[in-house]
Amino acid sequence: MVMREDWVVRHLEVTGSTNVDAAELARAHDGQVVLVRADRQDAGRGRAGRNWASPMGGAWFSVGVPVRETELERMIAAPLVVGLAACRGVNRALGLAGVRGVEARIKWPNDLVIHGKKTGGVLCELVAGGSEGGRVLVAGVGVNVNLKAADLPGNLRFPGTTLREAGGRELDVSALVMRCARGMVRLLRVLAERGFEGVLKEAVEARMAWMEDDVVLDLGDGDIQGRIVGVDESGRLKALVDGRVKVFDSGEVRVMGRGS
Ligand code: BTN
């Protein structure tokens, strides 16, 4: 991951999706890190083609980093690494605001949860860069920062919350965005250079929600019970199911929270 240290940064009042903007900006500034942040999005994108509600008060931003051909394989774990950086940034912001006893954790593979409720999500996309054959990893993060519970959509498939609801106070969104974005770029560089196994994997496991707990795993065509035991060297979920460790990839399973 060779990139210039000077970032191209845009702060928009409103846009469709910062992921789309970051991809365009990265094409125009080949080899540079780009950061696009918006106060609100009117076509925010979630995973699996879902919408992502992005009203005022949230942190909606995307970072674009150039990726070399030889690093592509390692980028499989990028969503987890981005989630790790966002998790750290959010917890630092909560700590600096004096909020105690409230901690974001990583809900595998790319959500942030507080007390088991989703407070943020990650959408990573690999797009074409500005140069022939060049690629850019666009890492979009949405965090429900100063939103009230009533601002969250009513049709969520998984219970949601906001940092304001959980921590009882408003946070500085700009500082949170910059802290998370810097962490994302730094950790993505570590991933590109050294791979996921080792420090990154350990750091993710240390912050994973429901680690060593029994959870419900939604396999699309039905639920099973499993105990989360960690992630493998590519970031796939390891869970103990019927006495055996099984490995799941992110297209296969959704973690639905604590089981019975
Ligand atoms: C998910 O949980 O489904 C992922 C949500 C990702 C939302 C963020 S907000 C900033 C960036 N721009 C988008 O359109 N999506 C991501």
Side-chain angles (χ1 to χ4, degrees), residues 46-62:
R47 285 192 308 280
R50 286 190 284 271
N51 298 329
W52 179 262
S54 323
M56 289 288 295
W60 324 122
F61 63 102
S62 305

Side-chain angles (χ1 to χ4, degrees), residues 3-12 15 17-27 29 32-38 59-66 136-141 173-185:
M3 47 198 169
R4 284 171 45 186
E5 293 301 322
D6 50 329
W7 295 15
V8 181
V9 179
R10 299 282 184 271
H11 181 173
L12 310 167
T15 189
S17 160
T18 56
N19 264 35
V20 174
D21 298 335
E24 268 173 30
L25 199 60
R27 270 192 287 279
H29 297 270
Q32 271 182 284
V33 174
V34 303
L35 166 64
V36 181
R37 169 194 169 193
W60 324 122
F61 63 102
S62 305
V63 165
V65 294
V136 171
L137 178 85
V138 173
V141 174
V173 176
S174 299
L176 183 144
V177 168
M178 286 316 296
R179 185 165 288 119
C180 291
R182 277 194 217 103
M184 283 155 63
V185 173

Side-chain angles (χ1 to χ4, degrees), residues 159-181:
T161 190
T162 79
L163 301 187
R164 175 180 172 157
E165 292 293 316
R169 69 195 63 174
E170 293 208 7
L171 301 179
D172 178 342
V173 176
S174 299
L176 183 144
V177 168
M178 286 316 296
R179 185 165 288 119
C180 291

